[in-house]
Amino acid sequence: MDTLPIKNMIEKIEGSELMPAAAPNIDNGERALSVLAGSYLLYKSLRNIVKHPLLGVQGAAAAGLLIYRGATGVCPLYQRLGVDTTDPQAINITETITVNAPRETVYAFWRELSNLPKFMDHLKEVTETSEKDSHWTANTPGGIVPLSWNAEITHEESGKYLGWQSTAGSMIENAGKVEFTDTLNTIGTQLHVEINYFPPAGSVGRGIASMFTGVFEKMIRADIQQFKHYAEQEEFKHFAGLSELS
């Protein structure tokens, strides 16, 4: 179907006094679908208005609302529910864990970002391309959407703090930080971990965001907690110099 008439209709309403004061709260894909559905409903209602006047008028009114919704990008129902599909929901995760290993050693392990997929199942691979730059690939649920991005270390304090974020132009925005502190007995390490994923705006972003909410978020939370288990394994103990085999 030719989308030019729909585009022209949207542009005419946007430039008229019919445009509402509220900011748009539905994305372009949903707007186009609303105009298409409204136009079809209006056509069917006008064809049946002679045989079924009441139903025809009701259908035409509903069609008008759909067309107006699509042309303006404002959905009154979404406003009342606080829904905004132009701004996909992000994942914001904060976890605190404690491991029985020295702080400097734990920091050194995390600082080698290529180590993260060893205990984070949502990450397929992290390749360090320079001292501060890296390329990340995610294991998404079902492998439906391949996700990869470049990131850079934005702030670090040896043994205490590590922060990173995705670079400009990445498919998704990712940011994270880890704070490392000694436990009260100074033998172990407490990690305060924050990881954020921000899907892109628009229809593609909504699809990725729907994947993020639920399974993917649970994967990330489990991954952070999984470090406690991984730190008890022989591989990490060998890295930390705590293994009898080291």
Side-chain angles (χ1 to χ4, degrees):
M1 180 178 291
D2 188 3
T3 59
L4 185 58
I6 296 174
K7 183 179 179 181
N8 290 339
M9 183 186 301
I10 291 175
E11 289 177 348
K12 286 180 180 179
I13 293 182
E14 286 180 339
S16 71
E17 294 181 356
L18 294 174
M19 192 66 188
N25 58 4
I26 58 176
D27 73 3
N28 290 336
E30 194 171 349
R31 290 177 67 175
L33 287 174
S34 293
V35 173
L36 284 170
S39 299
Y40 178 75
L41 180 59
L42 180 61
Y43 167 74
K44 294 288 289 184
S45 299
L46 292 178
R47 283 196 62 181
N48 296 325
I49 198 167
V50 176
K51 293 183 179 180
H52 306 284
L54 181 59
L55 292 178
V57 171
Q58 291 176 339
L65 290 175
L66 279 172
I67 293 172
Y68 182 75
R69 179 182 188 271
T72 61
V74 175
C75 176
L77 177 60
Y78 279 11
Q79 285 180 319
R80 289 196 293 272
L81 296 176
V83 176
D84 186 348
T85 61
T86 65
D87 184 17
Q89 185 177 2
I91 287 180
N92 303 290
I93 295 173
T94 301
E95 297 282 336
T96 299
I97 57 175
T98 301
V99 298
N100 189 29
R103 176 171 51 83
E104 293 289 347
T105 301
V106 174
Y107 172 84
F109 182 84
W110 279 72
R111 181 58 180 82
E112 290 185 31
L113 297 175
S114 58
N115 284 327
L116 299 186
K118 292 180 179 179
F119 65 91
M120 289 190 170
D121 292 336
H122 86 279
L123 292 177
K124 181 177 182 180
E125 184 179 35
V126 179
T127 303
E128 295 174 273
T129 55
S130 71
E131 184 178 352
K132 291 185 177 294
D133 300 310
S134 53
H135 181 75
W136 301 52
T137 304
N139 284 317
T140 57
I144 299 174
V145 181
L147 292 180
S148 62
W149 63 95
N150 294 320
E152 60 182 353
I153 300 293
T154 54
H155 181 68
E156 60 179 315
E157 296 178 34
S158 182
K160 297 180 180 180
Y161 184 97
L162 178 65
W164 69 88
Q165 69 176 25
S166 56
T167 57
S170 295
M171 184 177 185
I172 61 172
E173 293 183 35
N174 165 247
K177 69 176 184 178
V178 187
E179 296 175 275
F180 306 82
T181 56
D182 292 324
T183 54
L184 291 177
N185 61 10
T186 70
I187 297 175
T189 305
Q190 184 179 81
L191 298 86
H192 180 76
V193 184
E194 293 184 25
I195 295 179
N196 304 300
Y197 281 93
F198 303 89
S203 300
V204 174
R206 285 185 62 207
I208 295 176
S210 65
M211 176 193 69
F212 276 6
T213 56
V215 178
F216 195 56
E217 181 173 354
K218 290 179 180 178
M219 285 177 64
I220 300 170
R221 289 190 183 278
D223 283 349
I224 297 173
Q225 293 295 330
Q226 190 165 286
F227 182 63
K228 295 171 62 177
H229 176 71
Y230 179 80
E232 298 173 355
Q233 304 304 306
E234 192 63 33
E235 184 177 18
F236 180 80
K237 289 181 178 180
H238 183 71
F239 175 90
L242 303 173
S243 171
E244 295 179 358
L245 300 177
S246 61

